[in-house]
DNA sequence: AATTTCCCCAACCGCGAAGTT
DNA sequence: TAACTTCGCGGTTGGGGAAAT
């Protein structure tokens, strides 16, 4: 396959764009559209390669681009989609109106990824990191019957493990002991044990047949419920009992008392295809678009009332508080994700 | 106040896919 | 169908501003 000799060194400008160049590009595209990026710069009188022009237009000059920082809903959408799609930034961007793949990619790498790491979650697999799984393995063995475990001290890994996760693991084990039937939370069952955001509120693949258990490690499964069948049927029962999404569409302060911890059921491959196809009706409730609270994940549910409120509802949002700090706190208290299974190769369903 | 370090993000690069001849 | 062109994607870089020393 031949390759376009893009960005030849012969006299073409590189680096940051000037206002004049931007204006030339805007003027030209408004007048003629952008049919052929290769010939565009020449026709527009720009000393740039077509690639550079396309990038500048799609990532910066396009009139429908939303500037400003990401909202909570947008951020959660990114995380949700990333757990399914991986680094398919363009596919993720297609679900976030006004955001570019480049912007999302940057935001992921500079903010979300770091935060997940600090939370002890692998940003690639969206699963607890190995050190945590080792921890749960220990918990599920000889120490299982000990209700009060100073895990941090026992392991001597405190600096490496998110204390919230340790508490969670301890709580889970204790609760399982108290109520052996309490495994994977049943639909409609209030679940105080597992943070409601980052648990099964992912798009849960409902693969049939058979129902594939998400690819937690063995240890992680033990943490939740060693009974795989119960776990499996929870998924199957879930879809018929899930409340209407609209019931959960809130102003961000209301959290239903009997909130299912997983609130979106996805039957592959249809939903996966829908995700990939922003125009699909089937995925419309899946989408967040800033002012529209049709967002159906846990964002509205788990967003604490102390969430910084935008000063205005415009796309350029200014937050009263340090949103980054609040998100940090918010995430570490409410997010724990056991992500979409690795064995589910979404690419199998894509095209 | 000066210097260094850190962090963010716009832009670039290389590759593969899709389209065209 | 092979050769070539164009486009779009994901990974990476480096300039510049902010924060730390």
């Amino acid at each position: 396959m031949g390759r376009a000799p893009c960005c030849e060194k012969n006299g073409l400008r590189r680096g940051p764009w000037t206002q004049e160049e931007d204006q030339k590009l805007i003027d030209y595209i408004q007048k003629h559209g952008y049919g052929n990026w290769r010939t565009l710069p020449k026709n527009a009188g720009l000393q740039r390669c077509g690639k550079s022009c396309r990038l500048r237009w799609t990532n910066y000059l396009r009139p429908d681009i939303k500037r400003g920082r990401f909202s909570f809903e947008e951020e959660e959408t990114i995380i949700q989609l990333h757990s399914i799609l991986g680094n398919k930034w363009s596919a993720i961007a297609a679900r976030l109106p006004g955001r570019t793949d480049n912007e999302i990619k940057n935001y992921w790498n500079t903010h979300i990824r770091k935060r997940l790491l600090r939370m002890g979650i692998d940003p690639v697999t969206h699963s607890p990191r190995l050190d945590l799984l080792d921890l749960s393995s220990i918990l599920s063995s000889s120490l299982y019957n000990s209700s009060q475990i100073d895990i941090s001290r026992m392991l001597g890994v405190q600096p490496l493990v998110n204390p919230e996760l340790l508490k969670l693991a301890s709580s889970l084990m204790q609760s399982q002991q108290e109520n052996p039937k309490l495994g994977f939370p049943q639909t409609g069952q209030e679940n105080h044990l597992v943070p409601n955001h980052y648990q099964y509120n992912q798009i849960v693949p409902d693969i049939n047949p058979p129902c594939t258990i998400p690819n937690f490690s063995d240890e992680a499964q033990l943490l939740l419920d060693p009974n795989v069948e119960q776990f499996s049927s929870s998924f199957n029962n879930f879809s018929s009992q899930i409340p209407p999404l609209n019931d959960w569409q809130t102003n961000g302060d209301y959290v239903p008392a009997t909130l299912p911890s997983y609130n979106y059921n996805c039957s592959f491959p249809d939903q996966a295809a829908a995700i990939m196809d922003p125009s699909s009706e089937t995925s419309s409730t899946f989408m967040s678009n800033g002012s529209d609270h049709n967002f159906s994940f846990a964002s509205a549910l788990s967003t604490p009332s102390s969430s910084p409120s935008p000063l205005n509802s415009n796309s350029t949002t200014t937050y009263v508080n340090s949103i980054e700090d609040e998100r940090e706190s918010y995430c570490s208290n409410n997010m724990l994700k056991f992500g979409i299974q690795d064995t589910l190769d979404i690419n199998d369903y894509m095209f």
Side-chain angles (χ1 to χ4, degrees):
Chain A
M1 294 297 156
R3 285 192 46 207
C6 190
C7 298
E8 298 98 326
K9 312 293 182 214
N10 49 353
L12 292 182
R13 273 180 53 79
R14 300 173 71 237
W17 282 60
T18 65
Q19 269 195 337
E20 188 187 354
E21 286 178 312
D22 281 348
Q23 200 53 53
K24 277 186 180 177
L25 184 57
I26 291 170
D27 289 344
Y28 181 85
I29 289 176
Q30 280 177 348
K31 214 171 178 180
H32 304 95
Y34 48 89
N36 186 333
W37 287 113
R38 187 152 175 83
T39 58
L40 185 148
K42 193 176 172 185
N43 296 336
L46 287 161
Q47 299 295 311
R48 294 272 181 175
C49 70
K51 204 170 184 175
S52 179
C53 292
R54 181 177 57 80
L55 212 62
R56 184 64 180 171
W57 176 257
T58 56
N59 285 340
Y60 201 83
L61 298 176
R62 242 171 50 201
D64 58 329
I65 284 184
K66 187 195 287 186
R67 315 301 307 182
R69 65 189 316 155
F70 285 74
S71 66
F72 281 105
E73 288 79 9
E74 286 177 313
E75 182 172 321
E76 291 195 2
T77 301
I78 293 169
I79 296 171
Q80 304 281 359
L81 289 171
H82 187 273
S83 71
I84 302 164
L85 301 170
N87 293 0
K88 303 282 183 192
W89 305 117
S90 61
I92 294 171
R95 308 301 312 174
L96 287 164
R99 299 296 187 182
T100 69
D101 54 355
N102 203 40
E103 194 178 12
I104 292 169
K105 178 172 59 182
N106 282 334
Y107 190 70
W108 176 271
N109 287 328
T110 57
H111 295 87
I112 300 176
R113 187 176 169 277
K114 288 177 186 173
R115 193 176 308 130
L116 293 180
L117 285 170
R118 280 197 295 268
M119 291 162 58
I121 294 170
D122 187 330
V124 177
T125 64
H126 291 248
S127 300
R129 288 161 67 185
L130 282 178
D131 48 359
L132 292 177
L133 299 182
D134 290 340
L135 160 68
S136 62
S137 179
I138 292 168
L139 281 171
S140 61
S141 59
S142 62
L143 294 171
Y144 183 89
N145 290 325
S146 174
S147 58
Q148 298 294 330
I149 304 172
D150 187 343
I151 300 163
S152 306
R153 199 171 54 185
M154 176 180 73
L155 296 178
V157 293
Q158 188 165 7
L160 302 175
V161 180
N162 187 328
E164 292 298 327
L165 295 178
L166 294 175
K167 272 192 283 185
L168 167 65
S170 183
S171 299
L172 274 171
M173 298 312 296
Q174 185 176 346
S175 301
Q176 279 201 337
Q177 184 184 354
E178 289 166 359
N179 180 7
K181 295 209 166 190
L182 177 65
F184 190 81
Q186 297 299 303
T187 304
Q189 179 179 42
E190 188 170 4
N191 174 21
H192 293 300
L193 302 174
V194 181
N196 63 13
H197 173 92
Y198 227 116
Q199 186 204 25
Y200 286 98
N201 55 14
Q202 310 305 313
I203 295 177
V204 179
D206 180 10
I207 297 176
N208 187 35
C211 179
T212 302
I213 305 304
N215 188 26
F216 311 130
S217 74
D218 294 343
E219 291 84 354
Q221 288 188 29
L222 279 171
L223 262 181
L224 293 165
D225 184 1
N227 185 335
V228 169
E229 281 189 23
Q230 179 184 357
F231 185 40
S232 175
S233 64
S234 296
F235 277 140
N236 291 334
N237 291 337
F238 164 60
S239 60
S240 61
Q241 298 180 36
I242 185 171
L245 291 171
N246 283 345
D247 289 352
W248 301 353
Q249 288 160 10
T250 71
N251 60 8
D253 293 329
Y254 166 66
V255 177
T258 56
L259 171 66
S261 57
Y262 30 90
N263 55 18
Y264 189 91
N265 193 43
C266 179
S267 298
F268 278 64
D270 292 347
Q271 273 82 349
I275 290 164
M276 296 305 297
D277 177 10
S279 64
S280 168
E281 282 291 307
T282 57
S283 63
S284 58
T285 57
F286 181 55
M287 189 163 154
S288 165
N289 69 4
S291 59
D292 182 355
H293 284 104
N294 268 345
F295 186 73
S296 60
F297 288 116
S299 57
L301 307 174
S302 63
T303 301
S305 56
S306 61
S307 300
S309 303
L311 290 173
N312 59 59
S313 59
N314 293 336
S315 57
T316 304
T317 304
T318 306
Y319 291 95
V320 176
N321 299 321
S322 165
I323 190 170
E324 196 65 30
D325 291 346
E326 289 218 7
R327 284 178 180 177
E328 180 72 31
S329 167
Y330 158 59
C331 290
S332 58
N333 285 323
N334 294 285
M335 292 184 173
L336 171 63
K337 178 174 191 180
F338 301 97
I340 300 303
Q341 60 269 40
D342 297 334
T343 52
L344 177 65
D345 186 0
I346 196 161
N347 291 315
D348 291 345
Y349 302 104
M350 278 180 167
F351 303 107

